[in-house]
Amino acid sequence: MTALTAVPFLADESRARFRDLLLGEWFKLLSLRSIRWGLLLGLLGLVFLNANAAIADVNDWDHFAPAQREFFVPYSSLAASFTNNACIATLLITGSLGAVSLVSEYATGQIRTTFAAVPARRALLSAKILVLTAVMTAFGVLATGVSFFLTQAILSGKHAGISLAEPGIWRALLASALLPPVCALTGLGLAALVRHSAATIVTTTTVLLLIPNFLSRNHHWSACLYHATPFRAWQTLHDLVGTPPNPHIPFAADPAGEWFVYLAWAVGGVLATLVLGSRRDV
């Protein structure tokens, strides 16, 4: 009778244990002041960058040529809702916060205590990945949603705003909302690889921001690498459906393929964290 009742008891205990890991990682992540302040200031900074772009467009509206005004709605209206500068800031903020969520434990030596308390390292790291993904997705949805509605309210003063009924708008908004978790998971994977605070932040910035700026679209091989970065993938996905192509840009990207770029970077970060993070403590 004892053997028969042991199996469901262990299964329930296992499920409860992973819930405890999720709860522990949740409190651990938000207990870091750098994470809390980074999320808050990052959100305010992104909204400010986007709102400032909309205000600048409103101030310059009377100086726009008729052709500029005709093109502005809907294409430039969307561009103002989440600008290139906001995308760059998102890369830096969320990539760094994702790295800090793990590398801070290596820097303080807390990772040894954590793994000693929870020998199932991959279960622990899986809980960290899920919590980080949830937090950064919520951050992305909030930053994108607030920026969109605020900028469109500003542009509506010149009747230059767009609505959620615009064709292709949801793809653009989803691309902006999912960029933070993609960058955060990339930073997390790099933290598991590098394991040193300053070097991890520099590596994350280099991979997410600097390398894409050194790539060009003049040759097929370099264009493939160019479009395989999160920054360039976002630029393609954030364009509205039907945006006129630029004839001066060779080797244009396929928007459908850019979703796989997002997926590949996120999965790569997850695999690096699970494989490298479970092998050693320092």
Side-chain angles (χ1 to χ4, degrees):
M1 182 63 68
T2 303
L4 291 176
T5 58
V7 174
F9 175 77
L10 290 176
D12 291 342
E13 186 180 38
S14 176
R15 287 195 294 270
R17 182 184 180 87
F18 190 71
R19 288 197 297 269
D20 291 340
L21 292 179
L22 288 173
L23 189 60
E25 288 301 321
W26 169 265
F27 284 113
K28 187 188 298 182
L29 181 67
L30 296 184
S31 67
L32 292 172
R33 283 184 293 180
S34 58
I35 296 292
R36 296 199 307 270
W37 281 103
L39 290 173
L40 177 60
L41 295 178
L43 176 63
L44 294 176
L46 292 178
V47 172
F48 172 79
L49 284 173
N50 296 320
N52 188 60
I55 292 172
D57 288 330
V58 168
N59 292 335
D60 294 338
W61 184 262
D62 294 335
H63 303 288
F64 286 171
Q68 287 179 288
R69 296 185 184 182
E70 183 178 356
F71 180 83
F72 192 92
V73 182
Y75 306 113
S76 297
S77 299
L78 175 65
S81 70
F82 207 93
T83 64
N84 273 346
N85 287 337
C87 178
I88 293 172
T90 300
L91 294 172
L92 295 175
I93 293 167
T94 58
S96 298
L97 292 179
V100 167
S101 67
L102 179 61
V103 78
S104 61
E105 295 192 58
Y106 286 109
T108 61
Q110 183 184 358
I111 195 71
R112 297 188 184 91
T113 304
T114 301
F115 285 153
V118 184
R121 297 187 174 191
R122 290 189 178 177
L124 177 68
L125 293 171
S126 297
K128 184 182 291 291
I129 289 168
L130 289 175
V131 169
L132 181 66
T133 301
V135 170
M136 289 301 173
T137 301
F139 174 85
V141 170
L142 189 59
T144 301
V146 172
S147 294
F148 178 79
F149 288 111
L150 180 59
T151 55
Q152 298 314 305
I154 294 171
L155 293 173
S156 65
K158 295 294 184 179
H159 304 287
I162 57 175
S163 70
L164 294 175
E166 190 70 35
I169 187 67
W170 287 103
R171 186 189 74 181
L173 296 178
L174 185 61
S176 298
L178 292 181
L179 186 62
V182 170
C183 296
L185 291 175
T186 301
L188 187 70
L190 291 173
L193 173 66
V194 180
R195 300 171 186 243
H196 296 282
S197 299
T200 299
I201 299 301
V202 171
T203 303
T204 302
T205 302
T206 300
V207 170
L208 291 176
L209 185 59
L210 298 184
I211 289 179
N213 286 323
F214 284 108
L215 299 173
S216 69
R217 289 174 285 188
N218 296 328
H219 304 283
H220 184 265
W221 67 268
S222 61
C224 290
L225 294 177
Y226 179 95
H227 294 306
T229 60
F231 183 28
R232 303 308 179 187
W234 172 84
Q235 288 182 318
T236 299
L237 293 171
H238 195 252
D239 285 339
L240 282 175
V241 175
T243 300
N246 189 337
H248 302 291
I249 298 179
F251 306 110
D254 178 18
E258 298 296 6
W259 288 119
F260 288 100
V261 173
Y262 266 33
L263 180 63
W265 281 85
V267 171
V270 168
L271 292 178
T273 303
L274 293 177
V275 174
L276 300 175
S278 61
R279 288 185 175 180
R280 52 193 176 93
D281 302 342
V282 293

